[in-house]
Amino acid sequence: MGFFSKSIDRLKTALKKTAEVLNTDVRTLFVPGRQIDDAFLDEIEEKFIRADMGVKNVQIIIGAIRDRWRLGKIRNADEAKDVVKEIMLRDWPAEEREIRFNPNGPTVIMVAGVNGAGKTTSIAKLANLLKNRAGKSVMVAAGDTFRAAAVEQLTIWSERLGVEIVKHKQGGDPAAVAYDACEAAKARGIDVVIVDTAGRLHTQQHLMRELQKIREVISKRIDGAPHEVILVLDATTGQNAVNQAKNFMQCVQVTGLMLAKLDGTAKGGVILSIKDELNIPVKFIGLGETPEDIETFDPQRFVDALFGDETA
Amino acid sequence: MFDTLTDKFSSVFRNLSGKGRISEENIRESMREVRVALLEADVNLKVVNDFCEQVVQKAVGQEVIKSLQPAQLMVKIVNDELVNLMGPVDTQIYTVTPGPTVIMMCGLQGSGKTTTCGKLALYLKAKGHNPMLAAVDLQRPAAVQQLRTLAEQTDVPIYADDTKVAPHGEVARGAAVSVARAAVNKARELGRDILILDTAGRLAIDQELMDELKDVNEAVKPHQIFLVLDSMTGQDAVNSAKAFNEKLELDGLILTKFDSDTRGGALLSAKMVTGKPVKFLGVGEKLDRLEEFRPEGVASRILGMGDIVGLVEAAHDKFDMEQQTKLAEKMEKGEFTLDDFMSQMGQIKKLGPMGKVLGMIPGMSELAKQANMNGEGVEGHMGRMQAIYNSMNRRERKKPDMVDAPRRRRIARGAGVEVNEVGQFLKQFDMSRSMMRAVGGMNMFSRMKMMKGLMSGDLGAIAQPGTNMLRTKRSGWQEPKDRNKKKKKR
């Protein structure tokens, strides 16, 4: 296990919280002993679609249950649950879900996403995680020079968390901010640089090119950088999240996802579609507004939580 | 997708054509595709199911069965019904006298409230109002500063009190109320007729923050409360919209980030569950990118059909109408020249970035994508056509038929293109001309449709103008008059 599981208590609380927030009402559906019938299948369909899992995925799951049920292989809800879990758990990117650190020199984490996805808050969370739980020295780079007061917002976070910040004026060149941050990190021996970027819709090609440029500048300053490109997705987003992931992937080679705002009523089921179409691991989930509300993502836990099962 | 939807309907009905009867069951079956389309567009499941049932009832009532083209009629019913559900349209901002009219914006974190406040202020200013902004978001770091910047950009006064900002980790409950109250007084004092309150983003299940919103509501009694909702929201749109509506009794919805490629099912869901009108759509990062809502475009978008009405309106604004009339006259006389062809092209160009324009036309978003993939872009392609045109002399432009091989070589050299491209260009014009002759008096959609064929070199598309055309008539637009004549010519 990595550096996150330092405190077993913390993990347990988080687990409980994850289970609570991810908990759909599917629990009531898979009552032990309930027989499978058409009404049952309809209910599953409804609940899974409501979790934003996408029509295609839901149809695959329902199809699998129906097939086995017709063949007489399964009869009750408990068995159906196993089928569902099996399908949901297959084909997750096996890749390590923790941050890839640069063994020589600063590790650069670039954070991108559409407007309002929760990038800045997620950066605060990552910074907190790396500083306080992994004991790294952290610097943030205020690369969102576009949105009004975005620099101020990150500055406030950096003060609260006690991490360094590199910033320019609003309206400045974000690539220049990234450049300066990389140089400063090298000079000051900082372990991790987290580069914020302005929110941009994945359909805005000129803004996507700007993102590419930031990435290039970073890669020229530090070997192998950016070591992580984290795409922040809003858990309330529907099937459009797939398009987002696709376009950002194409543009800046996303290495991992952070699913923000999972503390609401949304279930973030769209990551199942993303998993099927793109091989990007979900690395973190955001569960609230404080910098502590971040956890590593684990498919098993995600799926168990969906069913309200306890994970050992 | 519009085309695909028609195709899907067709295929369902085609299988039955031999039997000569289409039953309710067949209609139901054909609706399956619509259901999937709507769910993929993130329309709430319950809304989808109700909608499909309604369409089936309507379709049965309208005797799709007897219709010669049941597939197209189905598409029309589905489209009309969607438009119907999203209406009635009411983009009016109601004001009170004496002022100030207080508008409160609320929504989840990251939905775009603060930006929308700025956009709304600018919109109201353009309408002749004297708006004022108030920073009641005391939670998010630098939210006050953000609104202040927007106030500067829009040149609108702002009421903000930095001393009231919530300390880290706390909720500034009483503070929000007092800031809101003070803002109303300030607006009255300054004689502003509209006050826009920017509130903190909150989850519908966050009791504490929802209560704060309720407190503000009771304290200043806003005349209008708008829910700002991210148009990319999934099934959860219903939960949030419902919760906010129950707590606050909303007056309208504003859907943001509509310039993304979202199909926008959240809009329909939120409208259905609250019963409140959609007022505006946010369609870009710039502050003037706020549009009054109209359902026609959104209906086709949710179905994946492209926004043809939006295109028509854009065309109406930007096209030189006089030139269009002249052109129509010319076409009727069969005098369509290369000059007209190019000027038509120029007109289309004025509508905006080609990729965007094409995206608004059913079936053409694919073409835009293809062009982008070639790395050339639609603009690039049109640019080359322009270059070829520029390299021709006046006589050649008048009588393109005279362009023989040596002339072709000369033009290609001048335009910096391959010789065969010149040939292609002339062929495209030639086809376009014969089409124009055949369908003089045809409406603009059809011409657009033709442009598609011309640019993609898809002869099939050119050969059938009028098929799959928009069925909903709008006053002033005519259906093509004489398909028979055209067929004879071919």
Side-chain angles (χ1 to χ4, degrees), chain B residues 415-448:
Chain B
V417 299
E418 297 292 320
V419 178
N420 65 350
E421 284 184 70
V422 179
Q424 267 170 21
F425 169 68
L426 292 171
K427 213 157 105 196
Q428 283 183 344
F429 161 69
D430 200 41
M431 278 186 298
S432 164
R433 180 175 50 183
S434 49
M435 287 316 309
M436 289 291 182
R437 272 183 196 145
V439 294
M442 198 158 118
N443 66 31
M444 193 171 317
F445 304 129
S446 328
R447 280 183 231 148
M448 297 275 184

PDB file of all heavy atoms in Angstrom, chain B residues 415-448:
ATOM      1  N   ALA B 415      -3.695  29.938 -58.681  1.00  0.00           N
ATOM      2  CA  ALA B 415      -4.309  29.713 -57.368  1.00  0.00           C
ATOM      3  C   ALA B 415      -3.431  28.857 -56.465  1.00  0.00           C
ATOM      4  O   ALA B 415      -3.714  28.702 -55.276  1.00  0.00           O
ATOM      5  CB  ALA B 415      -5.665  29.042 -57.545  1.00  0.00           C
ATOM      6  N   GLY B 416      -2.389  28.285 -57.066  1.00  0.00           N
ATOM      7  CA  GLY B 416      -1.519  27.424 -56.276  1.00  0.00           C
ATOM      8  C   GLY B 416      -2.190  26.117 -55.892  1.00  0.00           C
ATOM      9  O   GLY B 416      -2.007  25.610 -54.794  1.00  0.00           O
ATOM     10  N   VAL B 417      -3.018  25.600 -56.782  1.00  0.00           N
ATOM     11  CA  VAL B 417      -3.671  24.318 -56.498  1.00  0.00           C
ATOM     12  C   VAL B 417      -3.371  23.349 -57.635  1.00  0.00           C
ATOM     13  O   VAL B 417      -2.786  23.726 -58.653  1.00  0.00           O
ATOM     14  CB  VAL B 417      -5.206  24.488 -56.350  1.00  0.00           C
ATOM     15  CG1 VAL B 417      -5.536  25.411 -55.202  1.00  0.00           C
ATOM     16  CG2 VAL B 417      -5.818  24.996 -57.651  1.00  0.00           C
ATOM     17  N   GLU B 418      -3.785  22.099 -57.475  1.00  0.00           N
ATOM     18  CA  GLU B 418      -3.620  21.115 -58.521  1.00  0.00           C
ATOM     19  C   GLU B 418      -4.643  21.407 -59.635  1.00  0.00           C
ATOM     20  O   GLU B 418      -5.730  21.932 -59.363  1.00  0.00           O
ATOM     21  CB  GLU B 418      -3.879  19.712 -57.978  1.00  0.00           C
ATOM     22  CG  GLU B 418      -2.896  19.288 -56.897  1.00  0.00           C
ATOM     23  CD  GLU B 418      -1.478  19.086 -57.441  1.00  0.00           C
ATOM     24  OE1 GLU B 418      -1.355  18.536 -58.553  1.00  0.00           O
ATOM     25  OE2 GLU B 418      -0.522  19.494 -56.757  1.00  0.00           O
ATOM     26  N   VAL B 419      -4.269  20.993 -60.863  1.00  0.00           N
ATOM     27  CA  VAL B 419      -5.156  21.262 -61.994  1.00  0.00           C
ATOM     28  C   VAL B 419      -6.517  20.611 -61.785  1.00  0.00           C
ATOM     29  O   VAL B 419      -7.560  21.213 -62.058  1.00  0.00           O
ATOM     30  CB  VAL B 419      -4.525  20.747 -63.315  1.00  0.00           C
ATOM     31  CG1 VAL B 419      -5.483  20.999 -64.473  1.00  0.00           C
ATOM     32  CG2 VAL B 419      -3.190  21.436 -63.553  1.00  0.00           C
ATOM     33  N   ASN B 420      -6.528  19.404 -61.272  1.00  0.00           N
ATOM     34  CA  ASN B 420      -7.820  18.717 -61.135  1.00  0.00           C
ATOM     35  C   ASN B 420      -8.746  19.417 -60.137  1.00  0.00           C
ATOM     36  O   ASN B 420      -9.954  19.282 -60.196  1.00  0.00           O
ATOM     37  CB  ASN B 420      -7.637  17.240 -60.798  1.00  0.00           C
ATOM     38  CG  ASN B 420      -6.986  17.045 -59.441  1.00  0.00           C
ATOM     39  OD1 ASN B 420      -6.507  18.008 -58.837  1.00  0.00           O
ATOM     40  ND2 ASN B 420      -6.963  15.818 -58.965  1.00  0.00           N
ATOM     41  N   GLU B 421      -8.159  20.165 -59.209  1.00  0.00           N
ATOM     42  CA  GLU B 421      -9.009  20.893 -58.264  1.00  0.00           C
ATOM     43  C   GLU B 421      -9.823  21.972 -58.966  1.00  0.00           C
ATOM     44  O   GLU B 421     -10.948  22.257 -58.577  1.00  0.00           O
ATOM     45  CB  GLU B 421      -8.170  21.523 -57.146  1.00  0.00           C
ATOM     46  CG  GLU B 421      -7.714  20.514 -56.119  1.00  0.00           C
ATOM     47  CD  GLU B 421      -6.973  21.173 -54.969  1.00  0.00           C
ATOM     48  OE1 GLU B 421      -7.626  21.879 -54.187  1.00  0.00           O
ATOM     49  OE2 GLU B 421      -5.741  20.995 -54.868  1.00  0.00           O
ATOM     50  N   VAL B 422      -9.207  22.562 -59.993  1.00  0.00           N
ATOM     51  CA  VAL B 422      -9.938  23.564 -60.757  1.00  0.00           C
ATOM     52  C   VAL B 422     -11.132  22.893 -61.425  1.00  0.00           C
ATOM     53  O   VAL B 422     -12.260  23.397 -61.395  1.00  0.00           O
ATOM     54  CB  VAL B 422      -9.039  24.229 -61.822  1.00  0.00           C
ATOM     55  CG1 VAL B 422      -9.828  25.253 -62.618  1.00  0.00           C
ATOM     56  CG2 VAL B 422      -7.832  24.887 -61.160  1.00  0.00           C
ATOM     57  N   GLY B 423     -10.863  21.737 -61.998  1.00  0.00           N
ATOM     58  CA  GLY B 423     -11.930  20.980 -62.648  1.00  0.00           C
ATOM     59  C   GLY B 423     -13.045  20.665 -61.654  1.00  0.00           C
ATOM     60  O   GLY B 423     -14.237  20.857 -61.947  1.00  0.00           O
ATOM     61  N   GLN B 424     -12.630  20.219 -60.499  1.00  0.00           N
ATOM     62  CA  GLN B 424     -13.613  19.871 -59.466  1.00  0.00           C
ATOM     63  C   GLN B 424     -14.463  21.078 -59.083  1.00  0.00           C
ATOM     64  O   GLN B 424     -15.684  20.985 -58.927  1.00  0.00           O
ATOM     65  CB  GLN B 424     -12.893  19.394 -58.206  1.00  0.00           C
ATOM     66  CG  GLN B 424     -12.699  17.896 -58.150  1.00  0.00           C
ATOM     67  CD  GLN B 424     -11.767  17.511 -57.018  1.00  0.00           C
ATOM     68  OE1 GLN B 424     -11.586  18.277 -56.066  1.00  0.00           O
ATOM     69  NE2 GLN B 424     -11.165  16.352 -57.131  1.00  0.00           N
ATOM     70  N   PHE B 425     -13.780  22.169 -58.929  1.00  0.00           N
ATOM     71  CA  PHE B 425     -14.470  23.398 -58.527  1.00  0.00           C
ATOM     72  C   PHE B 425     -15.530  23.769 -59.549  1.00  0.00           C
ATOM     73  O   PHE B 425     -16.673  24.073 -59.211  1.00  0.00           O
ATOM     74  CB  PHE B 425     -13.432  24.514 -58.372  1.00  0.00           C
ATOM     75  CG  PHE B 425     -14.023  25.893 -58.212  1.00  0.00           C
ATOM     76  CD1 PHE B 425     -14.720  26.223 -57.060  1.00  0.00           C
ATOM     77  CD2 PHE B 425     -13.865  26.857 -59.196  1.00  0.00           C
ATOM     78  CE1 PHE B 425     -15.259  27.490 -56.895  1.00  0.00           C
ATOM     79  CE2 PHE B 425     -14.401  28.120 -59.048  1.00  0.00           C
ATOM     80  CZ  PHE B 425     -15.099  28.435 -57.895  1.00  0.00           C
ATOM     81  N   LEU B 426     -15.149  23.699 -60.822  1.00  0.00           N
ATOM     82  CA  LEU B 426     -16.090  24.068 -61.869  1.00  0.00           C
ATOM     83  C   LEU B 426     -17.252  23.080 -61.929  1.00  0.00           C
ATOM     84  O   LEU B 426     -18.396  23.460 -62.168  1.00  0.00           O
ATOM     85  CB  LEU B 426     -15.373  24.139 -63.220  1.00  0.00           C
ATOM     86  CG  LEU B 426     -14.375  25.303 -63.306  1.00  0.00           C
ATOM     87  CD1 LEU B 426     -13.548  25.185 -64.576  1.00  0.00           C
ATOM     88  CD2 LEU B 426     -15.095  26.648 -63.243  1.00  0.00           C
ATOM     89  N   LYS B 427     -16.926  21.835 -61.659  1.00  0.00           N
ATOM     90  CA  LYS B 427     -17.968  20.824 -61.677  1.00  0.00           C
ATOM     91  C   LYS B 427     -18.965  21.095 -60.548  1.00  0.00           C
ATOM     92  O   LYS B 427     -20.175  21.001 -60.734  1.00  0.00           O
ATOM     93  CB  LYS B 427     -17.338  19.441 -61.510  1.00  0.00           C
ATOM     94  CG  LYS B 427     -18.084  18.358 -62.248  1.00  0.00           C
ATOM     95  CD  LYS B 427     -17.194  17.171 -62.543  1.00  0.00           C
ATOM     96  CE  LYS B 427     -17.507  16.012 -61.640  1.00  0.00           C
ATOM     97  NZ  LYS B 427     -16.457  14.994 -61.634  1.00  0.00           N
ATOM     98  N   GLN B 428     -18.410  21.448 -59.418  1.00  0.00           N
ATOM     99  CA  GLN B 428     -19.280  21.752 -58.295  1.00  0.00           C
ATOM    100  C   GLN B 428     -20.195  22.916 -58.611  1.00  0.00           C
ATOM    101  O   GLN B 428     -21.387  22.887 -58.324  1.00  0.00           O
ATOM    102  CB  GLN B 428     -18.448  22.105 -57.049  1.00  0.00           C
ATOM    103  CG  GLN B 428     -17.861  20.876 -56.393  1.00  0.00           C
ATOM    104  CD  GLN B 428     -17.112  21.216 -55.136  1.00  0.00           C
ATOM    105  OE1 GLN B 428     -16.779  22.367 -54.891  1.00  0.00           O
ATOM    106  NE2 GLN B 428     -16.836  20.211 -54.335  1.00  0.00           N
ATOM    107  N   PHE B 429     -19.614  23.919 -59.242  1.00  0.00           N
ATOM    108  CA  PHE B 429     -20.430  25.066 -59.600  1.00  0.00           C
ATOM    109  C   PHE B 429     -21.505  24.656 -60.592  1.00  0.00           C
ATOM    110  O   PHE B 429     -22.663  25.042 -60.482  1.00  0.00           O
ATOM    111  CB  PHE B 429     -19.566  26.185 -60.198  1.00  0.00           C
ATOM    112  CG  PHE B 429     -20.384  27.178 -60.978  1.00  0.00           C
ATOM    113  CD1 PHE B 429     -21.261  28.028 -60.313  1.00  0.00           C
ATOM    114  CD2 PHE B 429     -20.310  27.232 -62.360  1.00  0.00           C
ATOM    115  CE1 PHE B 429     -22.039  28.918 -61.016  1.00  0.00           C
ATOM    116  CE2 PHE B 429     -21.097  28.122 -63.071  1.00  0.00           C
ATOM    117  CZ  PHE B 429     -21.964  28.969 -62.399  1.00  0.00           C
ATOM    118  N   ASP B 430     -21.090  23.844 -61.545  1.00  0.00           N
ATOM    119  CA  ASP B 430     -22.003  23.429 -62.587  1.00  0.00           C
ATOM    120  C   ASP B 430     -23.203  22.709 -61.997  1.00  0.00           C
ATOM    121  O   ASP B 430     -24.358  22.988 -62.332  1.00  0.00           O
ATOM    122  CB  ASP B 430     -21.259  22.517 -63.567  1.00  0.00           C
ATOM    123  CG  ASP B 430     -21.978  22.454 -64.899  1.00  0.00           C
ATOM    124  OD1 ASP B 430     -22.440  23.530 -65.339  1.00  0.00           O
ATOM    125  OD2 ASP B 430     -22.095  21.359 -65.462  1.00  0.00           O
ATOM    126  N   MET B 431     -22.916  21.825 -61.067  1.00  0.00           N
ATOM    127  CA  MET B 431     -24.002  21.094 -60.430  1.00  0.00           C
ATOM    128  C   MET B 431     -24.885  22.042 -59.652  1.00  0.00           C
ATOM    129  O   MET B 431     -26.108  21.944 -59.674  1.00  0.00           O
ATOM    130  CB  MET B 431     -23.419  20.047 -59.484  1.00  0.00           C
ATOM    131  CG  MET B 431     -23.005  18.800 -60.212  1.00  0.00           C
ATOM    132  SD  MET B 431     -22.478  17.517 -59.070  1.00  0.00           S
ATOM    133  CE  MET B 431     -21.093  18.257 -58.294  1.00  0.00           C
ATOM    134  N   SER B 432     -24.205  22.926 -58.964  1.00  0.00           N
ATOM    135  CA  SER B 432     -24.939  23.878 -58.153  1.00  0.00           C
ATOM    136  C   SER B 432     -25.870  24.702 -59.033  1.00  0.00           C
ATOM    137  O   SER B 432     -27.019  24.966 -58.689  1.00  0.00           O
ATOM    138  CB  SER B 432     -23.949  24.765 -57.415  1.00  0.00           C
ATOM    139  OG  SER B 432     -24.569  25.900 -56.919  1.00  0.00           O
ATOM    140  N   ARG B 433     -25.372  25.083 -60.217  1.00  0.00           N
ATOM    141  CA  ARG B 433     -26.167  25.909 -61.113  1.00  0.00           C
ATOM    142  C   ARG B 433     -27.401  25.151 -61.602  1.00  0.00           C
ATOM    143  O   ARG B 433     -28.509  25.663 -61.588  1.00  0.00           O
ATOM    144  CB  ARG B 433     -25.322  26.356 -62.308  1.00  0.00           C
ATOM    145  CG  ARG B 433     -26.106  27.228 -63.271  1.00  0.00           C
ATOM    146  CD  ARG B 433     -25.248  27.759 -64.375  1.00  0.00           C
ATOM    147  NE  ARG B 433     -24.464  26.707 -65.011  1.00  0.00           N
ATOM    148  CZ  ARG B 433     -23.585  26.917 -65.984  1.00  0.00           C
ATOM    149  NH1 ARG B 433     -23.358  28.145 -66.398  1.00  0.00           N
ATOM    150  NH2 ARG B 433     -22.917  25.925 -66.528  1.00  0.00           N
ATOM    151  N   SER B 434     -27.165  23.910 -61.994  1.00  0.00           N
ATOM    152  CA  SER B 434     -28.325  23.183 -62.508  1.00  0.00           C
ATOM    153  C   SER B 434     -29.338  22.955 -61.391  1.00  0.00           C
ATOM    154  O   SER B 434     -30.549  22.988 -61.611  1.00  0.00           O
ATOM    155  CB  SER B 434     -27.903  21.860 -63.146  1.00  0.00           C
ATOM    156  OG  SER B 434     -27.048  21.157 -62.306  1.00  0.00           O
ATOM    157  N   MET B 435     -28.824  22.770 -60.188  1.00  0.00           N
ATOM    158  CA  MET B 435     -29.730  22.630 -59.063  1.00  0.00           C
ATOM    159  C   MET B 435     -30.519  23.914 -58.849  1.00  0.00           C
ATOM    160  O   MET B 435     -31.716  23.896 -58.639  1.00  0.00           O
ATOM    161  CB  MET B 435     -28.957  22.342 -57.775  1.00  0.00           C
ATOM    162  CG  MET B 435     -28.379  20.955 -57.669  1.00  0.00           C
ATOM    163  SD  MET B 435     -29.532  19.706 -58.180  1.00  0.00           S
ATOM    164  CE  MET B 435     -30.913  20.186 -57.191  1.00  0.00           C
ATOM    165  N   MET B 436     -29.786  25.000 -58.885  1.00  0.00           N
ATOM    166  CA  MET B 436     -30.417  26.285 -58.613  1.00  0.00           C
ATOM    167  C   MET B 436     -31.512  26.557 -59.618  1.00  0.00           C
ATOM    168  O   MET B 436     -32.559  27.095 -59.300  1.00  0.00           O
ATOM    169  CB  MET B 436     -29.381  27.414 -58.672  1.00  0.00           C
ATOM    170  CG  MET B 436     -28.420  27.402 -57.522  1.00  0.00           C
ATOM    171  SD  MET B 436     -29.219  27.829 -55.976  1.00  0.00           S
ATOM    172  CE  MET B 436     -27.857  27.791 -54.850  1.00  0.00           C
ATOM    173  N   ARG B 437     -31.249  26.175 -60.851  1.00  0.00           N
ATOM    174  CA  ARG B 437     -32.256  26.366 -61.882  1.00  0.00           C
ATOM    175  C   ARG B 437     -33.469  25.530 -61.556  1.00  0.00           C
ATOM    176  O   ARG B 437     -34.606  25.978 -61.656  1.00  0.00           O
ATOM    177  CB  ARG B 437     -31.699  25.911 -63.231  1.00  0.00           C
ATOM    178  CG  ARG B 437     -30.973  27.026 -63.929  1.00  0.00           C
ATOM    179  CD  ARG B 437     -30.509  26.541 -65.276  1.00  0.00           C
ATOM    180  NE  ARG B 437     -29.511  27.420 -65.795  1.00  0.00           N
ATOM    181  CZ  ARG B 437     -28.484  27.035 -66.526  1.00  0.00           C
ATOM    182  NH1 ARG B 437     -28.313  25.760 -66.811  1.00  0.00           N
ATOM    183  NH2 ARG B 437     -27.622  27.902 -66.964  1.00  0.00           N
ATOM    184  N   ALA B 438     -33.185  24.320 -61.172  1.00  0.00           N
ATOM    185  CA  ALA B 438     -34.281  23.387 -60.947  1.00  0.00           C
ATOM    186  C   ALA B 438     -35.147  23.815 -59.768  1.00  0.00           C
ATOM    187  O   ALA B 438     -36.347  23.629 -59.768  1.00  0.00           O
ATOM    188  CB  ALA B 438     -33.732  21.990 -60.697  1.00  0.00           C
ATOM    189  N   VAL B 439     -34.523  24.391 -58.811  1.00  0.00           N
ATOM    190  CA  VAL B 439     -35.283  24.647 -57.591  1.00  0.00           C
ATOM    191  C   VAL B 439     -35.325  26.124 -57.237  1.00  0.00           C
ATOM    192  O   VAL B 439     -35.376  26.478 -56.085  1.00  0.00           O
ATOM    193  CB  VAL B 439     -34.703  23.865 -56.406  1.00  0.00           C
ATOM    194  CG1 VAL B 439     -34.877  22.394 -56.623  1.00  0.00           C
ATOM    195  CG2 VAL B 439     -33.238  24.221 -56.208  1.00  0.00           C
ATOM    196  N   GLY B 440     -35.272  26.944 -58.222  1.00  0.00           N
ATOM    197  CA  GLY B 440     -35.360  28.374 -57.948  1.00  0.00           C
ATOM    198  C   GLY B 440     -36.546  28.611 -57.031  1.00  0.00           C
ATOM    199  O   GLY B 440     -37.557  27.975 -57.152  1.00  0.00           O
ATOM    200  N   GLY B 441     -36.424  29.448 -56.077  1.00  0.00           N
ATOM    201  CA  GLY B 441     -37.532  29.644 -55.157  1.00  0.00           C
ATOM    202  C   GLY B 441     -37.526  28.659 -54.014  1.00  0.00           C
ATOM    203  O   GLY B 441     -38.379  28.693 -53.154  1.00  0.00           O
ATOM    204  N   MET B 442     -36.553  27.802 -54.027  1.00  0.00           N
ATOM    205  CA  MET B 442     -36.435  26.857 -52.927  1.00  0.00           C
ATOM    206  C   MET B 442     -35.992  27.600 -51.672  1.00  0.00           C
ATOM    207  O   MET B 442     -35.370  28.651 -51.748  1.00  0.00           O
ATOM    208  CB  MET B 442     -35.351  25.858 -53.326  1.00  0.00           C
ATOM    209  CG  MET B 442     -35.370  24.613 -52.576  1.00  0.00           C
ATOM    210  SD  MET B 442     -34.504  23.398 -53.599  1.00  0.00           S
ATOM    211  CE  MET B 442     -33.173  22.991 -52.584  1.00  0.00           C
ATOM    212  N   ASN B 443     -36.279  27.034 -50.513  1.00  0.00           N
ATOM    213  CA  ASN B 443     -35.946  27.767 -49.291  1.00  0.00           C
ATOM    214  C   ASN B 443     -34.470  27.618 -48.926  1.00  0.00           C
ATOM    215  O   ASN B 443     -33.727  26.864 -49.542  1.00  0.00           O
ATOM    216  CB  ASN B 443     -36.820  27.322 -48.125  1.00  0.00           C
ATOM    217  CG  ASN B 443     -36.553  25.888 -47.745  1.00  0.00           C
ATOM    218  OD1 ASN B 443     -35.449  25.393 -47.880  1.00  0.00           O
ATOM    219  ND2 ASN B 443     -37.582  25.225 -47.286  1.00  0.00           N
ATOM    220  N   MET B 444     -34.114  28.328 -47.922  1.00  0.00           N
ATOM    221  CA  MET B 444     -32.701  28.387 -47.593  1.00  0.00           C
ATOM    222  C   MET B 444     -32.141  27.071 -47.077  1.00  0.00           C
ATOM    223  O   MET B 444     -31.008  26.720 -47.340  1.00  0.00           O
ATOM    224  CB  MET B 444     -32.461  29.475 -46.560  1.00  0.00           C
ATOM    225  CG  MET B 444     -31.002  29.783 -46.414  1.00  0.00           C
ATOM    226  SD  MET B 444     -30.704  31.196 -45.429  1.00  0.00           S
ATOM    227  CE  MET B 444     -31.895  32.332 -45.969  1.00  0.00           C
ATOM    228  N   PHE B 445     -32.982  26.335 -46.337  1.00  0.00           N
ATOM    229  CA  PHE B 445     -32.473  25.064 -45.801  1.00  0.00           C
ATOM    230  C   PHE B 445     -31.975  24.195 -46.932  1.00  0.00           C
ATOM    231  O   PHE B 445     -30.969  23.526 -46.863  1.00  0.00           O
ATOM    232  CB  PHE B 445     -33.579  24.283 -45.096  1.00  0.00           C
ATOM    233  CG  PHE B 445     -34.228  25.059 -44.013  1.00  0.00           C
ATOM    234  CD1 PHE B 445     -35.598  25.177 -43.945  1.00  0.00           C
ATOM    235  CD2 PHE B 445     -33.440  25.679 -43.048  1.00  0.00           C
ATOM    236  CE1 PHE B 445     -36.185  25.897 -42.952  1.00  0.00           C
ATOM    237  CE2 PHE B 445     -34.030  26.385 -42.042  1.00  0.00           C
ATOM    238  CZ  PHE B 445     -35.414  26.510 -41.988  1.00  0.00           C
ATOM    239  N   SER B 446     -32.769  24.193 -47.977  1.00  0.00           N
ATOM    240  CA  SER B 446     -32.452  23.297 -49.067  1.00  0.00           C
ATOM    241  C   SER B 446     -31.155  23.722 -49.717  1.00  0.00           C
ATOM    242  O   SER B 446     -30.350  22.908 -50.120  1.00  0.00           O
ATOM    243  CB  SER B 446     -33.571  23.325 -50.082  1.00  0.00           C
ATOM    244  OG  SER B 446     -34.784  23.557 -49.421  1.00  0.00           O
ATOM    245  N   ARG B 447     -30.975  25.027 -49.774  1.00  0.00           N
ATOM    246  CA  ARG B 447     -29.730  25.500 -50.362  1.00  0.00           C
ATOM    247  C   ARG B 447     -28.551  25.092 -49.491  1.00  0.00           C
ATOM    248  O   ARG B 447     -27.512  24.683 -49.978  1.00  0.00           O
ATOM    249  CB  ARG B 447     -29.760  27.018 -50.500  1.00  0.00           C
ATOM    250  CG  ARG B 447     -30.535  27.442 -51.720  1.00  0.00           C
ATOM    251  CD  ARG B 447     -30.473  28.934 -51.868  1.00  0.00           C
ATOM    252  NE  ARG B 447     -31.808  29.454 -52.031  1.00  0.00           N
ATOM    253  CZ  ARG B 447     -32.176  30.636 -51.594  1.00  0.00           C
ATOM    254  NH1 ARG B 447     -31.326  31.406 -50.949  1.00  0.00           N
ATOM    255  NH2 ARG B 447     -33.388  31.055 -51.792  1.00  0.00           N
ATOM    256  N   MET B 448     -28.801  25.182 -48.220  1.00  0.00           N
ATOM    257  CA  MET B 448     -27.754  24.755 -47.291  1.00  0.00           C
ATOM    258  C   MET B 448     -27.423  23.294 -47.523  1.00  0.00           C
ATOM    259  O   MET B 448     -26.292  22.882 -47.560  1.00  0.00           O
ATOM    260  CB  MET B 448     -28.247  24.892 -45.853  1.00  0.00           C
ATOM    261  CG  MET B 448     -28.549  26.298 -45.480  1.00  0.00           C
ATOM    262  SD  MET B 448     -27.062  27.092 -44.944  1.00  0.00           S
ATOM    263  CE  MET B 448     -27.704  28.658 -44.462  1.00  0.00           C
TER     264      MET B 448
END
